[in-house]
Amino acid sequence: MSESTASSDTVLLRRGEVHSPADPFATAMVVERGQVAWVGSEGAADAFADGVDEVIDLDGALVTPAFTDAHVHTTATGLALTGLDLSDAPSLEAALDLVREFAAARPADRVLLGHGWDASRWPGGRPPTRAELDRATGGRPLYLSRIDVHSAVVTSALLGLVPGGGGLADAPLTGDDHHAVRAVALGSVTSAQRAEAQRAALAHAASLGIGTVHECGGPEISSEDDFTALLRLAAEEPGPRVVGYWAEQGDEGVARARALGAAGAAGDLFVDGALGSHTACLHEAYADAGHTGTAHLDAAAVAGHVVACTEAGLQAGFHAIGDAAVTTVVEGVRAAAEKVGLTRVRAARHRVEHAEMLTPETVAAFAELGLIASVQPAFDALWGGEDGMYARRLGADRARTLNPYAALLRAGVPLAFGSDSPVTPLDPWGTVRAAAFHRTPEHRVSVRAAFTAHTRGGWRAVGRDDAGVLVPGAPADYAVWRTDALVVQAPDDRVARWSTDPRSGTPGLPDLSPGGDLPVCLRTVVGGRTVFLRPDAGGAAR
């Protein structure tokens, strides 16, 4: 949604809890011409009641800034919502049953599309063979991406559509082989199917209180048509804002990103792959494989891209998960700073997506170079812990170093939270909970800090310091929530108390203790315009 389509109505919200640093005890808010005009107490709200176009009785509901999901693949998310989702399949046999049922239910699809399998969570730990998939689909083309989207299994019929595909191994495909089969599979999606998927994804995001998504596209991920169609749809129809990043390298990538309307030549510009697929690039070999993963860019290529983006006034950004890949990014950005100046590099707010395997040295380098860490706390919730996928891939000692959010914040590194959907679901409060109750206690941050990273942090990651917070003059992007009593919450004594002392007047947030219910979104507003309204919202719906 563009700024020009913001609502011109004046709205008073009252009789609730408004999460605002302007007034930690605010119960009311006025929105005018798509911006927050005032926040304050219930008594003062009476002065506005007769001069507004609409009054919303919050009936005790909580109002917060809308969330920003800083890393989304929108069309793939929509296809997962409307297509075959294997993320909950408990075994290989169950996954094959779901494939069989899906194929039977979609006789007209030229290519069957599915996502989300994770053999590391299945008994036996084995992905499906091509022959098993051929039988389950009755010999039809099928593309099934692994949960991390860095590998896929396919049928023989799909390989028949790929030039030279007949010689590919009967194993999960990675790297260029994966890109080739993905291009054929996604190329089968019609423009109508694509628009349906994009609308489904954005509507789902809005229903969760997400007001902005950062779309991470690129030539190895989607297509130019997919990218521009999404930006056009978001600009023309009510819904979450979409900020687009196009992951293409060097001067040509910068020119293409600018032509496509992207905020940067960034996002999933791959320096390496993913841990689950054994393609993240490591300094030391995997604990369960005799190699160190896959490197796609070296420090010189990173430096060249950062220089090109900095001189063009665009953000650069890289996908880097393994410690060797993160080191490559740091070395490349530092070399770029030596060429164009550290001040210019810091001002550009270049991004690193995922940044999972960090060391104290690379954390310090992120702070020095002004890099934004665009991270996904749900990864730890899904794969962390003593018995998780990280520990199997890396061994318990290395696994415990992953996703060190507290260290990043202590060093002054800006965090922007996201989901990498469809890798993990759109789930903003679940994401905040995952960071606050990280499986490794020393990496935990306060709920307040995690919430900030998922609201204001996403705006700061696109160069906006005036948004993602409910204060006068900020964009009126907010969500209304049904929730229990508000608290000022730290998960344990390892989290700094300066940010969580109730005496500081810090506005409260929902209790996100594990096992409890998460808040329910009643209304989502972007630029003053309602883009989601829950049918059973009660007073907040009026």
Side-chain angles (χ1 to χ4, degrees):
M1 173 179 162
S2 65
E3 299 279 359
S4 62
T5 60
S7 172
S8 60
D9 290 345
T10 301
V11 179
L12 168 65
L13 299 92
R14 63 185 307 179
R15 287 203 332 112
E17 302 277 355
V18 179
H19 185 88
S20 171
D23 183 347
F25 307 107
T27 61
M29 180 171 75
V30 173
V31 171
E32 186 174 20
R33 292 189 295 276
Q35 292 185 320
V36 177
W38 172 85
V39 294
S41 67
E42 186 59 34
D46 290 334
F48 296 97
D50 293 335
V52 299
D53 299 307
E54 181 183 6
V55 176
I56 296 176
D57 183 349
L58 294 168
D59 192 24
L62 170 67
V63 182
T64 71
F67 286 100
T68 292
D69 192 309
H71 194 118
V72 175
H73 303 286
T74 307
T75 301
T77 297
L79 291 171
L81 289 169
T82 60
L84 175 57
D85 181 2
L86 296 176
S87 58
D88 291 329
S91 66
L92 171 59
E93 293 73 20
L96 290 170
D97 286 342
L98 290 170
V99 170
R100 199 172 292 110
E101 294 167 8
F102 184 73
R106 305 288 289 245
D109 287 7
R110 179 169 175 260
V111 174
L112 298 165
L113 300 173
H115 168 72
W117 61 271
D118 184 359
S120 72
R121 302 169 67 191
W122 294 342
R126 177 177 72 79
T129 66
R130 195 163 296 152
E132 288 170 332
L133 294 175
D134 288 347
R135 288 193 294 272
T137 59
R140 295 169 62 190
L142 168 74
Y143 168 85
L144 286 181
S145 52
R146 190 186 182 279
I147 191 167
D148 61 10
V149 202
H150 283 268
S151 59
V153 290
V154 300
T155 56
S156 301
L158 182 68
L159 291 181
L161 303 176
V162 179
L168 297 182
D170 184 4
L173 302 174
T174 62
D176 290 341
D177 293 341
H178 177 219
H179 298 155
V181 297
R182 178 165 58 187
V184 169
L186 296 184
S188 72
V189 176
T190 67
S191 58
Q193 285 176 304
R194 182 176 64 209
E196 176 194 15
Q198 291 172 347
R199 288 191 180 97
L202 293 177
H204 184 55
S207 76
L208 297 169
I210 297 171
T212 302
V213 300
H214 297 179
E215 164 68 13
C216 293
E220 296 181 344
I221 302 161
S222 52
S223 69
E224 293 183 22
D225 287 345
D226 180 275
F227 188 78
T228 55
L230 174 64
L231 296 184
R232 186 166 56 249
L233 183 149
E236 294 173 352
E237 299 183 9
R241 303 172 191 267
V242 176
V243 178
Y245 288 96
W246 184 255
E248 193 167 354
Q249 189 182 343
D251 292 334
E252 184 176 334
V254 167
R256 187 109 56 214
R258 194 184 296 283
L260 295 175
D268 275 330
L269 184 53
F270 297 118
V271 179
D272 67 345
L275 291 165
S277 293
H278 292 100
T279 52
C281 190
L282 313 181
H283 284 305
E284 299 179 15
Y286 285 89
D288 61 349
H291 61 83
T292 57
T294 306
H296 297 297
L297 297 178
D298 60 17
V302 169
H305 186 65
V306 172
V307 168
C309 288
T310 304
E311 292 182 337
L314 286 178
Q315 281 178 291
F318 305 91
H319 163 119
I321 287 179
D323 51 2
V326 174
T327 296
T328 295
V329 171
V330 164
E331 291 176 350
V333 177
R334 186 172 281 128
E338 291 172 358
K339 182 171 183 179
V340 300
L342 178 60
T343 300
R344 290 180 69 191
V345 165
R346 287 178 58 86
R349 302 190 188 188
H350 301 308
R351 298 173 52 145
V352 184
E353 308 298 319
H354 316 308
E356 293 197 72
M357 293 186 70
L358 293 158
T359 64
E361 292 74 24
T362 50
V363 168
F366 272 43
E368 171 200 351
L369 299 167
L371 295 173
I372 303 283
S374 171
V375 296
Q376 296 74 40
F379 287 5
D380 174 73
L382 184 60
W383 297 315
E386 296 296 311
D387 300 318
M389 182 270 287
Y390 290 153
R392 290 194 294 276
R393 292 290 183 271
L394 302 172
D397 288 345
R398 274 194 294 176
R400 278 191 288 270
T401 69
L402 265 61
N403 302 302
Y405 304 136
L408 286 162
L409 285 181
R410 282 195 300 269
V413 177
L415 298 184
F417 281 178
S419 63
D420 199 8
S421 180
V423 174
T424 63
L426 300 170
D427 179 16
W429 285 114
T431 295
V432 173
R433 172 188 278 171
F437 296 94
H438 196 295
R439 288 176 179 271
T440 304
E442 58 262 36
H443 300 329
R444 294 174 179 171
V445 298
S446 70
V447 168
R448 175 190 175 195
F451 177 79
T452 299
H454 216 349
T455 50
R456 198 170 191 179
W459 284 93
R460 285 172 166 163
V462 297
R464 291 280 299 270
D465 293 329
D466 62 338
V469 61
L470 299 180
V471 297
D477 288 22
Y478 62 89
V480 180
W481 306 92
R482 180 191 299 135
T483 188
D484 294 329
L486 305 182
V487 298
V488 180
Q489 183 177 22
D492 58 42
D493 288 334
R494 282 171 280 241
V495 175
R497 289 294 176 182
W498 64 268
S499 65
T500 59
D501 187 340
R503 293 171 297 180
S504 69
T506 301
L509 285 165
D511 185 350
L512 301 183
S513 299
D517 292 336
L518 294 174
V520 174
C521 185
L522 304 178
R523 180 190 290 255
T524 304
V525 175
V526 177
R529 188 182 302 276
T530 297
V531 298
F532 168 76
L533 191 62
R534 184 170 296 280
D536 62 346
R542 293 197 296 272

